[in-house]
Amino acid sequence: MFAYIIRRLWQMIPTMLGVMLLVFVLFNWVGGDPTFILEGKRLTPEMLANIRVQLGLDKSMPEQFFLFVKQVLTYDFGNSWATQHEVTHTLATRVGPSLMLAGSLLVLELLTALPIAVAVAYFRGSLTDRMVTMICTVAMSVSSLVYIIVGQYQLGFVMDWFPVMGWDDDSMLTNLLVYLPLPLLLGVLVSLAPSVRFYRSFVVEELNHDYVRTARAKGLSEPKVLFKHVLRNALIPVVTNITMSLPFLMLGSMLLERFFGIPGMGNELLNAVDKSDFPVIKAITITIAGAAMVFNLLADVLYKWIDPRVQLK
């Protein structure tokens, strides 16, 4: 296991270099000269020339790429073009709200969707199963924007059960009890239907295997068969779904953050895109890419823990 982890960590190096090269090409060749974006601020030619020197744009492309690699290695992407604040410090203040929102949403979605999926799969083919499947299909066809806008208007504005938007930078408890309940409720409603359909399909597949019939023939109770044998084997796709979602916890839920005024990474990314703030966009892109590789490795390790028969290569 240790040798496998070391080997995978070494493999991340060329992968990250490829990501950095792709990001560099997209932002420097496809994205054009950033000084023309800053020119909209009515800067003088002398000021634009100084900006090009500060950004390293007066250097050759290889030199600019190595400068970008140095920024990634030191995690120092300079200052934001829009706010002139240090990018690293800005992102550090945005991670907390995103993790609070997306982390709580992931836990609530899992605790809600998985039991429903197991129960529906157990009664597969019944009227309950067909009704839940139909409801999930209808719910999945509705845009997440509809959930957010209607929920925010009805529950926040009309009924006044929750604040429409807001965030307290000084009190985590206030955020959890006051500002997060409505975004979490709407986020669970959006993600519940696809998750139930996804988890149900794998539980049903496991219920049709021979080992389930063998366990029942041995006289094991249905709860023991379902939770000890079936659910453990069905956890592999569940782990896949969760670990693929973990890197994006840092981004939070961009739409929820934007509509509810939550100062997270997702909201920061949308603001950076609106203002063509390339240093912020590059920093978030590299961060998510690195997190994705780490959590993919974590997923493989979890596979081995859940099913010792899995061979890691």
Side-chain angles (χ1 to χ4, degrees), residues 215 219-232:
L220 295 180
S221 63
E222 284 297 321
K224 193 169 185 179
V225 171
L226 194 61
F227 292 102
K228 183 177 180 180
H229 298 281
V230 174
L231 189 57
R232 178 170 183 175

Side-chain angles (χ1 to χ4, degrees), residues 247-309:
F248 301 98
L249 287 182
M250 290 179 292
L251 275 180
S253 180
M254 289 188 287
L255 289 177
L256 289 173
E257 290 183 4
R258 173 56 64 94
F259 276 88
F260 288 94
I262 300 175
M265 288 272 281
N267 202 1
E268 186 69 25
L269 178 60
L270 291 176
N271 290 332
V273 172
D274 289 339
K275 300 174 183 178
S276 298
D277 197 345
F278 287 173
V280 175
I281 299 174
K282 288 192 290 187
I284 294 178
T285 303
I286 293 298
T287 301
I288 299 302
M293 289 187 287
V294 171
F295 285 113
N296 281 336
L297 173 59
L298 176 62
D300 291 339
V301 175
L302 289 176
Y303 289 164
K304 181 65 175 178
W305 176 71
I306 294 173
D307 188 355
R309 295 171 299 177

Side-chain angles (χ1 to χ4, degrees), residues 29-43:
W29 288 350
V30 180
D33 193 336
T35 55
F36 288 102
I37 299 173
L38 297 175
E39 190 176 11
K41 299 183 178 181
R42 298 180 181 179
L43 301 178

Side-chain angles (χ1 to χ4, degrees), residues 23 36 38 57 82 95 146 203 262 264:
V23 172
F36 288 102
L38 297 175
L57 299 176
V95 171
V146 175
V203 176
I262 300 175

Side-chain angles (χ1 to χ4, degrees), residues 23-286:
V23 172
F24 176 79
V25 170
L26 289 176
F27 283 97
N28 289 271
W29 288 350
V30 180
D33 193 336
T35 55
F36 288 102
I37 299 173
L38 297 175
E39 190 176 11
K41 299 183 178 181
R42 298 180 181 179
L43 301 178
T44 64
E46 293 77 11
M47 296 174 68
L48 288 175
N50 291 332
I51 291 175
R52 291 183 62 84
V53 172
Q54 294 174 10
L55 298 178
L57 299 176
D58 59 326
K59 298 180 172 58
S60 64
M61 281 295 176
E63 290 177 317
Q64 291 184 44
F65 178 70
F66 284 113
L67 177 62
F68 177 51
V69 173
K70 180 181 177 181
Q71 289 178 332
V72 174
L73 293 177
T74 59
Y75 205 73
D76 182 5
F77 294 90
N79 294 333
S80 165
W81 294 353
T83 64
Q84 296 304 313
H85 295 160
E86 186 180 355
V87 173
T88 304
H89 179 266
T90 299
L91 297 186
T93 62
R94 301 293 187 263
V95 171
S98 289
L99 289 179
M100 287 180 62
L101 173 62
S104 302
L105 181 59
L106 180 64
V107 172
L108 289 176
E109 180 265 325
L110 179 63
L111 295 178
T112 306
L114 190 57
I116 295 176
V118 172
V120 172
Y122 181 74
F123 295 104
R124 62 193 182 281
S126 64
L127 178 61
T128 301
D129 182 23
R130 292 194 295 269
M131 289 185 61
V132 171
T133 301
M134 181 184 66
I135 293 173
C136 289
T137 303
V138 173
M140 291 169 60
S141 65
V142 179
S143 171
S144 59
L145 283 173
V146 175
Y147 288 97
I148 295 174
I149 295 174
V150 173
Q152 190 178 41
Y153 177 75
Q154 288 292 334
L155 301 178
F157 180 74
V158 177
M159 298 181 179
D160 198 24
W161 289 356
F162 306 95
V164 175
M165 63 170 55
W167 191 260
D168 190 338
D169 293 327
D170 300 322
S171 176
M172 182 184 300
L173 184 60
T174 301
N175 293 324
L176 288 173
L177 298 179
V178 178
Y179 295 116
L180 280 181
L182 182 56
L184 289 177
L185 174 62
L186 298 178
V188 170
L189 290 177
V190 170
S191 61
L192 187 61
S195 296
V196 169
R197 288 288 302 271
F198 180 75
Y199 298 152
R200 173 196 173 279
S201 63
F202 287 101
V203 176
V204 169
E205 182 180 351
E206 292 298 327
L207 285 170
N208 292 327
H209 286 172
D210 292 336
Y211 75 86
V212 176
R213 289 188 288 270
T214 302
R216 287 171 175 165
K218 291 180 178 179
L220 295 180
S221 63
E222 284 297 321
K224 193 169 185 179
V225 171
L226 194 61
F227 292 102
K228 183 177 180 180
H229 298 281
V230 174
L231 189 57
R232 178 170 183 175
N233 289 315
L235 277 179
I236 291 181
V238 175
V239 170
T240 301
N241 186 50
I242 294 174
T243 51
M244 290 181 65
S245 303
L246 288 178
F248 301 98
L249 287 182
M250 290 179 292
L251 275 180
S253 180
M254 289 188 287
L255 289 177
L256 289 173
E257 290 183 4
R258 173 56 64 94
F259 276 88
F260 288 94
I262 300 175
M265 288 272 281
N267 202 1
E268 186 69 25
L269 178 60
L270 291 176
N271 290 332
V273 172
D274 289 339
K275 300 174 183 178
S276 298
D277 197 345
F278 287 173
V280 175
I281 299 174
K282 288 192 290 187
I284 294 178
T285 303
I286 293 298

